[in-house]
Amino acid sequence: MSLITTLAPRTGGEGQPQASAVNRITGAGLDFKIVAATAALDQNLVRPTDMFYCENGHYRIGDHILGEAHPYGSLSFEDILVHSSNIGMAKVGERIGARELYRYCVRYGFGNPSCVEFPGEATGKLRPYDQWRDIGRANVSIGQGIAVTMLQMALAYSAIANEGL
């Protein structure tokens, strides 16, 4: 973890050290798909061989079109992860539902400070599930519509590597 010392704006002196892994938030991106994937597996909503139609790269959700970098027809749940399919994971998110997906996000520690006590730690941004529209659920399923710190992502992956929450 790198530390950056900032200048205090009023005095010009040195301010609090900042660790970018703790203080800076960023879009979660494709690494976040593992949250929806583990939620679906944990709730027995999918099996690795379950097939999902990925709409050949264009999926209408309300007034929005969710696109795909590479259009796919049908993919197994396992292949959705292998190919990082946005549409496939959005459909997995539909099976989970907004409330459960939010619950897993919180269980993984997103939207809250971590157990690491570091000055200025960012909490990320996770809106309550009742403020999500359909596209919001899809966005969170694929790692958009949520902002996290690198530390939060590392802790989530550590939980998975250590066999659960």
Side-chain angles (χ1 to χ4, degrees):
M1 178 168 33
S2 64
L3 290 177
I4 302 168
T5 302
T6 60
L7 293 179
R10 293 183 189 244
T11 64
E14 289 193 7
Q16 290 284 338
Q18 295 189 6
S20 60
V22 175
N23 300 106
R24 292 193 182 146
I25 59 172
T26 185
L30 64 92
D31 294 331
F32 197 80
K33 288 177 182 167
I34 197 74
V35 173
T38 56
L41 288 167
D42 190 50
Q43 295 290 308
N44 295 314
L45 299 172
V46 297
R47 293 182 318 262
T49 57
D50 286 354
M51 298 300 291
F52 291 82
Y53 180 58
C54 295
E55 310 290 333
N56 294 313
H58 295 85
Y59 183 43
R60 179 174 291 283
I61 301 173
D63 294 333
H64 302 274
I65 300 288
L66 182 62
E68 198 80 84
H70 303 284
Y72 300 107
S74 292
L75 291 174
S76 68
F77 175 69
E78 181 178 9
D79 284 336
I80 287 169
L81 293 173
V82 168
H83 297 290
S84 192
S85 169
N86 288 340
I87 293 170
M89 194 53 67
K91 289 189 171 192
V92 171
E94 289 173 1
R95 284 195 186 179
I96 300 166
R99 185 178 192 165
E100 276 302 295
L101 182 56
Y102 177 83
R103 189 173 76 85
Y104 275 84
C105 290
V106 170
R107 286 180 68 195
Y108 274 113
F110 298 107
N112 295 300
S114 71
C115 57
V116 176
E117 295 180 14
F118 194 88
E121 178 183 358
T123 59
K125 295 185 191 226
L126 174 64
R127 289 179 299 137
Y129 72 91
D130 58 359
Q131 294 178 14
W132 299 356
R133 299 183 321 237
D134 287 340
I135 194 67
R137 181 192 58 238
N139 282 341
V140 172
S141 297
I142 64 173
Q144 299 175 8
I146 182 169
V148 302
T149 65
M150 289 182 274
L151 176 63
Q152 288 173 327
M153 286 305 299
L155 291 172
Y157 272 78
S158 293
I160 294 164
N162 289 304
E163 299 183 16
L165 296 170

